[in-house]
Amino acid sequence: PLSSRKHEEERTNSFKSDALDTLNNWFNSHTADAMPNPMEATVLAEATGLSVRQVYTWFRNKHNHLYAA
């Protein structure tokens, strides 16, 4: 339904801009291996106020969005 789609759209930008800046900066500076290891994910989670799971999900979605065929 349309209401579900609206809810999904609202959730796509639910991270604070400073958290997004941190994640994007890390991603852009690690182009050879753009998925953080567990230690890096923990540091990113602490720096952004996100959970480690949210960090991994963000990176997976970022990768999928950039490299979708």
Side-chain angles (χ1 to χ4, degrees), residues 3 41 61:
S3 61
N61 289 340

Side-chain angles (χ1 to χ4, degrees), residues 15 23 35-36 40-46 48 50-61:
F15 296 160
L23 296 172
M35 183 61 77
E40 292 168 327
T42 299
V43 170
L44 287 167
E46 291 172 359
T48 59
L50 303 173
S51 70
V52 172
R53 182 176 181 174
Q54 287 175 303
V55 169
Y56 278 127
T57 299
W58 186 89
F59 277 94
R60 185 177 63 245
N61 289 340

Side-chain angles (χ1 to χ4, degrees), residues 2-16 20:
L2 187 58
S3 61
S4 295
R5 173 165 268 196
K6 184 175 186 224
H7 181 68
E8 289 174 15
E9 290 173 7
E10 289 173 2
R11 294 186 69 197
T12 59
N13 293 321
S14 61
F15 296 160
K16 295 182 184 209
L20 290 174

Side-chain angles (χ1 to χ4, degrees), residues 17-30:
S17 65
D18 56 338
L20 290 174
D21 288 344
T22 299
L23 296 172
N24 277 307
N25 288 338
W26 193 97
F27 184 88
N28 291 330
S29 65
H30 293 81

